Amino acid sequence: MQAKTMLIASSALMGLMMPAGAMAADQAPTAATIAAAAARADATVRAMKPEEKTVLTHGIMPLPLMPGTPPPPADSIPGAGYIAGIARLGVPALKETDASLGVSYVMGLRKDGATALPSGLSLASSWNPELAYQGGAMIAGETRAKGFNVLLAGGVNLTRDPRNGRTFEYLSEDPLLSGMLVGASIRGIQSQGIISTIKHFALNGQETGRKFVDIRISEAAARESDLLAFQIGIEQGQPLSVMCAYNVVNGAPACGNDWLLNKVLKKDWRWKGFVMSDWGAVPNLETAINGLDQQSGESLDPAVFFADKLAARAAGDKAWAARLDDMNRRVLTAIYAAGLDKSQPQPGGKIDFAANGLVALEAAKQGIVLLKNNGALPLAASAKSIAVIGGYANSGVLSGGGSSQVNSEGGPAVAVPLGGEGPFAGFMAQHYHRSAPLAAIRKLAPQANVTYRDGNYIADAVEQARKSDVAVVFVTKWSSEGLDQADLSLPNGQDALVAAVAAANPRTIVVLETGNPIAMPWLDKVAGVVQAWYPGARGGDAIASVLFGETNPSGHLPITFPASVKQLPRPVLDGYNQYEANFAGDPPFPGAKLSANYDIEGSDVGYRWFARTGAKALFPFGFGLSYTTFASNGLSVVDRPGKGLFATFTVKNTGAREGATVGQVYLTARNGAAKQRLVGFARVNLAPGASQTVTVPVDSRLLADWVKDGWQVAAGTYSFALGEDAEHLQTPVTVKLAARKWKD
Ligand code: GLC
């Protein structure tokens, strides 16, 4: 059975996709509606009184977190942020909540729960923009139902260092995959009449010293990697707000970086929304003239710069007065484009947690990556005895820490606090979502004797494994905002546990609940490895469904698993053993210095670096096994005059059961010089024996170099290849391209 599909990765396609059980008609703003909103914003700015012009430019954290700060306004909701409105002009207050994975829990201060999507890495492992859209629409529905109108989502920083504590929140090491997915997610969020951010702009690649680390990178390298992920995400998703980052970029703070904000974002990309700061990321008033539009969480900054100080500056300087008008115009454009002046979310809205849980379940299933299977998987439902070991598998599944922490009603099944002091200590706790793999396994193997051992005592676990047909060891590695990881090892002696259990029972399956890539010293001793990431509100069910083959795993790695940190551009994460990480990321003393040289790899992030150095990964970008087999072939890359480059190829299910896989097309060389870049992908679902021919557009920026102030494709021969993953490529095909130069 042959099916031809034209996949046009454009906002037109996104517009055709409605979320399952859409909470409201698709209100996602388009470039046209944003332009119309900007015109309305202009009129409102002209009607503003001088004293109203710094209402929309700064806001608070409506949490009783900070001693000495006044109580939050009566109409605020415990969450991340609150920006007052202007009732006289019909401008509503902005009520902001985190984040990309659902409505955050803020340490239970609201005493309500929300549906947790799986982690960003899990979503990215699906390579499925439609799934991203549906997840975004679902969490936006819950955002509205709780009375918020801004979702601080869209975390899309490239995962340059696998030890970054926020890798779990982000998507991938590749700008195309990250941009397409974050754009779809943002479109889903804004389809519900909610303002979404895209964040953290830009190059926020580590947590150590996050507020003062100076990222050194050439413009070309930035434009071809991290900035391209944002650019594609903005094109695809039309986010109404950008959140600038904590870190410094080439000597200037990201939230006051004229090049990043005024030149790249607002001038080159012609973006019309508003830039909000990260919380505690505003060092001075000058950030306003350098492109920042709104000071968030102002009590975390040295001063409230964007109120009286800003008004005074504008009163005495025409350029500042014009800037202040522009700041208001941008915030108002977002409010009008999202329709917030017409329809205000109210707290107490109904949430269908069962339906929303199904969205999280499907996302988790599609995000699970089968890394190894010597035939032991799927488990036979007829297995007589199964030893389930470790990972709090009797209680729930792990989630990541920090501002993106979501919990269901009733809070976490298990919470392991890290202790420590300060207003953010409450964020530093390992939370397990209420979805126990053990219960889900028992449900799918009712006849089996399924036992559980917590894994804290190796001999105890080994004894149980020895007596069982199969052992399933759950290993966990918690990750959080504010902290990077020392290395790729599993903590708490889990590597030894896995090795001992595998020695006792060759049919040992390891299920990873990790926020990052990890090392696996026991890999050749175990029968199977299932990467479940932080699998969200229904993660236990998703894991069991894959283990027993009810779901055929279809995930493909969005991030390289290095064989060793020695393979990385920076084997030692800058500042890791120099400064004690703290959640806020503040300098340990005034004048503390830290810099990270991203020009080592430049735009060759992740698999591109491995291709350049020839290093072989433990598991490469794009890798993922299935319970069936696939073959892809017939790649052709055609330059259609006036339309651009298109890649066409066919994928066939050559196995005995239905399954999904991801066809991947890579640039491999330009005029004979090796250069690897993902240029296209398509997820396809196929019945046994079926095949599908797909055509995907190839974005020319992925073939180009950034030269001076624009993109350049040199004339010559370009080689492209299909890949099962970034390391396993087929024989390339070549295309002759004419020279091209263009500006953004
Ligand atoms: C944080 C995070 C950001 C979050 C914000 C509000 O520190 O960096 O992602 O949206 O504060 O909680």
Side-chain angles (χ1 to χ4, degrees):
M1 177 175 63
Q2 174 84 23
K4 276 188 178 296
T5 310
M6 165 69 90
L7 291 172
I8 302 196
S10 74
S11 52
L13 175 66
M14 301 295 178
L16 297 179
M17 292 183 290
M18 287 303 287
M23 276 54 83
D26 185 331
Q27 306 166 54
T30 62
T33 53
I34 292 171
R40 282 190 62 203
D42 239 357
T44 303
V45 171
R46 284 197 298 274
M48 276 176 155
K49 295 177 181 168
E51 63 273 21
E52 293 170 328
K53 289 194 174 180
T54 55
V55 172
L56 301 177
T57 56
H58 66 102
I60 61 163
M61 268 182 103
L63 291 176
L65 257 192
M66 312 300 289
T69 48
D75 67 332
S76 68
I77 309 167
Y82 176 88
I83 308 282
I86 307 171
R88 184 182 75 84
L89 297 172
V91 178
L94 294 182
K95 301 172 188 177
E96 305 170 330
T97 180
D98 283 305
S100 312
L101 310 181
V103 178
S104 63
Y105 190 59
V106 280
M107 297 167 280
L109 288 170
R110 281 194 318 272
K111 308 231 179 307
D112 67 346
T115 303
L117 283 173
S119 67
L121 282 185
S122 171
L123 172 67
S125 299
S126 73
W127 294 55
N128 187 346
E130 182 171 344
L131 187 73
Y133 177 96
Q134 295 193 5
M138 184 274 279
I139 61 176
E142 295 195 357
T143 300
R144 278 193 79 88
K146 293 174 185 292
F148 294 103
N149 53 24
V150 179
L151 188 56
L152 305 170
V156 70
N157 297 93
L158 292 189
T159 56
R160 273 182 187 263
D161 193 305
R163 297 159 294 192
N164 177 359
R166 296 187 83 169
T167 298
F168 75 91
E169 269 189 76
Y170 300 146
L171 294 164
S172 90
E173 61 195 30
D174 177 78
L176 175 68
L177 180 58
S178 296
M180 292 296 289
L181 291 171
V182 79
S185 169
I186 289 167
R187 190 167 172 79
I189 292 166
Q190 297 191 152
S191 74
Q192 301 303 308
I194 295 288
I195 290 174
S196 177
T197 54
I198 187 169
K199 68 185 184 179
H200 307 85
F201 194 64
L203 294 146
N204 189 185
Q206 66 180 61
E207 290 301 289
T208 302
R210 66 176 174 167
K211 274 199 187 170
F212 62 100
V213 61
D214 184 5
I215 304 300
R216 313 301 299 185
I217 188 167
S218 71
E219 171 156 14
R223 294 267 191 168
E224 294 163 12
S225 56
D226 289 72
L227 297 186
L228 184 55
F230 276 93
Q231 190 175 15
I232 294 171
I234 289 169
E235 288 162 359
Q236 293 291 322
Q238 301 288 326
L240 294 169
S241 182
V242 164
M243 185 189 297
C244 50
Y246 283 123
N247 52 281
V248 177
V249 178
N250 294 329
C255 284
N257 194 303
D258 178 60
W259 170 68
L260 269 182
L261 303 182
N262 286 332
K263 174 73 170 65
V264 175
L265 180 62
K266 294 180 177 179
K267 181 173 179 291
D268 292 353
W269 297 352
R270 294 171 291 287
W271 182 72
K272 303 292 180 213
F274 71 100
V275 179
M276 67 164 77
S277 74
D278 202 337
W279 269 238
V282 185
N284 55 48
L285 175 62
E286 279 55 42
T287 50
I289 211 78
N290 286 327
L292 181 63
D293 298 309
Q294 193 177 77
Q295 179 180 8
S296 312
E298 63 198 20
S299 56
L300 300 176
D301 288 320
V304 180
F305 299 108
F306 283 23
D308 300 347
K309 292 175 173 54
L310 176 58
R313 199 66 185 269
D317 179 318
K318 281 201 175 52
W320 276 81
R323 177 79 258 274
L324 181 54
D325 282 351
D326 181 48
M327 293 162 79
N328 279 288
R329 188 178 301 116
R330 286 176 174 274
V331 177
L332 288 163
T333 296
I335 289 172
Y336 293 146
L340 293 185
D341 58 316
K342 295 192 177 66
S343 148
Q344 259 317 308
Q346 296 304 326
K350 188 171 166 5
I351 293 177
D352 185 341
F353 284 111
N356 290 354
L358 292 177
V359 176
L361 175 60
E362 182 58 26
K365 287 178 178 176
Q366 293 194 26
I368 288 176
V369 185
L370 180 60
L371 295 176
K372 179 177 181 181
N373 181 17
N374 73 356
L377 288 169
L379 298 178
S382 58
K384 291 187 179 48
S385 55
I386 300 172
V388 173
I389 297 165
Y392 286 101
N394 65 336
S395 303
V397 288
L398 187 56
S399 59
S403 56
S404 69
Q405 179 75 64
V406 179
N407 273 304
S408 60
E409 293 188 300
V414 174
V416 183
L418 268 67
E421 283 130 30
F424 298 108
F427 277 121
M428 305 314 276
Q430 305 179 26
H431 285 190
Y432 286 74
H433 291 313
R434 294 173 179 276
S435 177
L438 178 63
I441 288 170
R442 284 182 166 146
K443 209 164 132 193
L444 292 182
Q447 83 302 325
N449 172 29
V450 182
T451 55
Y452 174 71
R453 287 291 185 277
D454 63 19
N456 291 336
Y457 301 92
I458 289 183
D460 169 48
V462 163
E463 188 45 38
Q464 199 55 39
R466 197 190 312 284
K467 290 189 290 192
S468 304
D469 289 344
V470 63
V472 183
V473 186
F474 285 79
V475 295
T476 61
K477 181 165 186 176
W478 185 71
S479 191
S480 173
E481 175 180 347
L483 295 172
D484 291 322
Q485 296 184 356
D487 57 38
L488 302 174
S489 69
L490 284 173
N492 311 324
Q494 294 178 97
D495 282 326
L497 171 68
V498 171
V501 168
N505 187 329
R507 286 164 56 83
T508 292
I509 309 295
V510 183
V511 178
L512 310 178
E513 292 178 19
T514 67
N516 304 65
I518 59 161
M520 302 180 208
W522 33 261
L523 182 58
D524 57 3
K525 305 278 189 308
V526 301
V529 180
V530 174
Q531 173 57 274
W533 310 110
Y534 298 149
R538 296 286 307 275
D541 299 312
I543 291 167
S545 184
V546 165
L547 288 175
F548 285 95
E550 183 190 71
T551 294
N552 188 356
S554 58
H556 288 70
L557 293 180
I559 184 172
T560 302
F561 276 51
S564 157
V565 293
K566 295 189 183 71
Q567 295 177 318
L568 299 175
R570 286 170 295 285
V572 176
L573 194 146
D574 291 291
Y576 186 78
N577 43 26
Q578 194 180 348
Y579 296 117
E580 183 185 331
N582 61 74
F583 184 85
D586 290 317
F589 51 84
K593 291 278 179 249
L594 180 60
S595 77
N597 177 10
Y598 285 8
D599 273 330
I600 294 170
E601 73 277 25
S603 60
D604 291 334
V605 181
Y607 69 89
R608 298 178 177 189
W609 171 255
F610 277 69
R612 189 165 115 187
T613 60
K616 289 300 165 214
L618 179 64
F619 289 103
F621 173 85
F623 181 87
L625 300 175
S626 170
Y627 293 148
T628 184
T629 51
F630 295 96
S632 55
N633 58 29
L635 176 63
S636 74
V637 180
V638 175
D639 190 2
R640 293 183 188 163
K643 291 196 182 314
L645 219 53
F646 289 86
T648 299
F649 57 93
T650 299
V651 184
K652 180 171 184 163
N653 180 341
T654 52
R657 66 164 286 175
E658 180 177 357
T661 190
V662 178
Q664 301 161 39
V665 184
Y666 291 89
L667 170 74
T668 57
R670 300 181 299 185
N671 284 324
K675 175 64 96 175
Q676 184 168 355
R677 288 176 176 167
L678 177 74
V679 296
F681 63 89
R683 179 187 169 91
V684 292
N685 199 57
L686 295 169
S691 62
Q692 185 169 342
T693 297
V694 293
T695 295
V696 292
V698 174
D699 188 320
S700 295
R701 291 170 292 192
L702 294 166
L703 314 181
D705 295 304
W706 178 269
V707 181
K708 291 202 192 66
D709 60 355
W711 299 97
Q712 271 187 24
V713 167
T717 305
Y718 288 73
S719 303
F720 300 90
L722 287 172
E724 288 163 45
D725 56 59
E727 282 183 6
H728 299 87
L729 302 175
Q730 296 185 14
T731 307
V733 300
T734 58
V735 182
K736 280 210 176 309
L737 295 180
R740 269 186 68 201
K741 276 185 186 179
W742 71 96
K743 291 187 186 300
D744 274 334

